[in-house]
Amino acid sequence: MHPETWQLTDDLDDFLARAGGFLRSRPAPHTVPLTVTDTLRRHGLHYYGRGAPLFGTLTAADGTVLAALTHTPPHGLCLTAVTPEQAEALAERLAGLGHRFPEVSAERDSVAAFAAAWRRRTGREATVHRRQRLYRLGELTPPEPAPEGRPRIAGAADRELLLRWFGEFAQAVGEGAGRDAGPWADARLSYGGITLWEAADGTPLAMAGATREIAGQVRVAPVYTPAALRGRGYAGAVTAEVSRAARAAGAAEVLLFTDLANPTSNALYQRLGYREVADFAVWAFGD
């Protein structure tokens, strides 16, 4: 038997029983699979779409988990760090079973290795869709002076606004085309997971969200300001407030991803006290 084996399953409980400790061992780089599996556990396997999710673990001969994957259709494959050899073995296994997905995301070198392996196995060309950087909050430095307005936790009366802004955000970043924002809004409203920055008269100006705490980490996402209101400091103010609240609630690590193609947001988050953890990328596959 090969000393390392990829095990695939559609059983979330089985996956978490095997991979839970591994995912929690590195909560920052594993923030996405941690929050995705927590969301599925709370809201059901079809929270992200109609397709059945797929989960996987790479285990050594002694049972030690070395890597993990999640796939929640219609979204792409999400991988933890893998070596080129491990990526090759996974590509062979998935291709042999006939799996398909629009894209793959992982730490920069891991995703490049898998994309190359997938091209060799399937002939599908891959291109870099987005380069990202994962940041961790150090010492929070709120913007000074603060912009006009104040923070407020979004409530049920804000649901229509959240649906509209989520759609605008998804379009702006090239994600989630056609996705029903209702489950997202309802899930976030259920635990106060969206903060609005509003004007003195109550007009919403920007929003920032935060995932539930799991394994000591909270990830700030999404952050959105309507185009007509940008450049006034609202995104920085609401992000600082969400970051402060997460830390005050006991999160050991407050994280966020940025698009490396957007120097404005990268500079903003660094001014707030976020520090680089690792670079990630999303590679998209052609037909």
Side-chain angles (χ1 to χ4, degrees):
M1 185 180 72
H2 194 279
E4 297 179 4
T5 306
W6 280 101
Q7 298 172 286
L8 304 177
T9 182
D10 60 3
D11 187 323
L12 177 60
D13 291 334
D14 175 61
F15 171 71
L16 290 176
R18 286 186 283 113
F22 166 75
L23 294 177
R24 290 172 179 270
S25 70
R26 299 181 66 207
H30 296 166
T31 176
V32 173
L34 282 167
T35 54
V36 164
T37 53
D38 183 60
T39 298
L40 294 175
R41 185 177 58 81
R42 292 176 182 275
H43 301 288
L45 290 179
H46 298 289
Y47 171 84
Y48 294 102
R50 295 179 182 178
L54 176 71
F55 313 102
T57 51
L58 177 67
T59 55
D62 64 359
T64 301
V65 175
L66 305 173
L69 70 86
T70 59
H71 179 211
T72 52
H75 301 290
L77 186 72
C78 177
L79 279 177
T80 64
V82 291
T83 66
E85 294 76 18
Q86 293 166 347
E88 192 74 45
L90 177 60
E92 179 181 11
R93 181 78 187 282
L94 292 175
L97 293 172
H99 288 288
R100 291 176 66 89
F101 26 82
E103 60 186 29
V104 58
S105 61
E107 292 183 61
R108 181 185 57 199
D109 294 343
S110 296
V111 71
F114 180 82
W118 192 246
R119 182 172 58 247
R120 286 191 292 271
R121 295 289 174 179
T122 67
R124 296 183 70 191
E125 292 298 324
T127 56
V128 178
H129 176 59
R130 187 167 51 258
R131 299 187 189 278
Q132 300 173 308
R133 181 160 290 162
L134 178 64
Y135 287 92
R136 176 192 290 115
L137 182 62
E139 181 179 351
L140 179 62
T141 306
E144 290 290 345
E148 63 157 332
R150 63 200 172 203
R152 173 175 66 80
I153 302 296
D158 302 299
R159 186 176 187 274
E160 290 304 314
L161 173 73
L162 299 186
L163 295 180
R164 185 170 73 252
W165 279 7
F166 181 86
E168 293 171 4
F169 169 81
Q171 184 176 20
V173 300
E175 292 183 350
R179 177 182 170 187
D180 179 7
W184 169 84
D186 293 336
R188 290 303 182 95
L189 289 169
S190 72
Y191 65 93
I194 294 289
T195 296
L196 300 174
W197 193 265
E198 63 177 18
D201 65 0
T203 301
L205 303 170
M207 73 172 179
T211 63
R212 289 182 183 269
E213 182 274 328
I214 180 170
Q217 62 83 34
V218 166
R219 188 171 73 260
V220 176
V223 177
Y224 180 70
T225 306
L229 298 173
R230 292 173 190 165
R232 306 182 191 184
Y234 304 141
V238 73
T239 300
E241 171 57 24
V242 166
S243 304
R244 181 206 62 78
R247 181 164 280 175
E253 296 188 298
V254 184
L255 309 164
L256 57 77
F257 280 102
T258 64
D259 185 341
L260 285 173
N262 187 338
T264 300
S265 63
N266 281 270
L268 166 64
Y269 298 132
Q270 290 180 67
R271 288 197 301 271
L272 294 178
Y274 280 88
R275 300 294 176 256
E276 177 183 347
V277 176
D279 283 356
F280 284 68
V282 180
W283 286 64
F285 297 111
D287 293 329

